[in-house]
Amino acid sequence: MSAFDGLKGKASVLRTKATDFIGQHQGQIQGGLTKAGDFADRKTGGKYAGRIDSVRRKASGFVEDVDRSNTSTGQPGSGTAQTDPSARPGTPPNSPPDPTTDPKGRPDGTSGPPRG
């Protein structure tokens, strides 16, 4: 048995613990993501609102995906994907980024911070 076999076993245990934790605390994690996004948006004066929202949506989607995979494999977890109350009304979860606010989807085809 090599040292890497021992590390693989430990990594597997840590992964299981992390996914169980996410499944058991999904609502708290989603709330924390929303609060962190709101805080960053306030501190930057809304300058990076599109980027902040994009990151929050991706992180939220990751948490939901982990919870769904826990449910499908019989692992502990709530099994219910919670919708984010701060999401834009009428926007389906994991929808493509809004080109008017997402910096990588700017109408002029460029990326990066807004010019101005």
Side-chain angles (χ1 to χ4, degrees):
M1 181 169 158
S2 72
F4 289 112
D5 291 334
L7 289 176
K8 286 180 188 177
K10 289 179 183 179
S12 176
V13 169
L14 289 174
R15 175 180 162 77
T16 301
K17 286 182 180 183
T19 55
D20 289 349
F21 180 84
I22 290 171
Q24 293 169 2
H25 301 283
Q26 181 189 17
Q28 291 172 310
I29 294 168
Q30 297 287 13
L33 291 170
T34 300
K35 286 182 181 181
D38 291 346
F39 176 79
D41 200 27
R42 277 193 313 275
K43 289 295 182 179
T44 60
K47 185 176 180 181
Y48 301 102
R51 287 184 178 183
I52 292 167
D53 189 49
S54 176
V55 170
R56 187 200 46 78
R57 281 195 316 264
K58 288 176 185 176
S60 180
F62 173 78
V63 170
E64 290 175 4
D65 290 345
V66 168
D67 188 47
R68 265 188 244 123
S69 70
N70 278 349
T71 303
S72 67
T73 60
Q75 296 291 325
S78 66
T80 57
Q82 299 174 354
T83 48
D84 184 1
S86 68
R88 291 187 311 267
T91 304
N94 299 326
S95 62
D98 182 356
T100 60
T101 59
D102 186 80
K104 291 185 179 178
R106 288 176 31 187
D108 61 0
T110 60
S111 63
R115 296 183 194 131

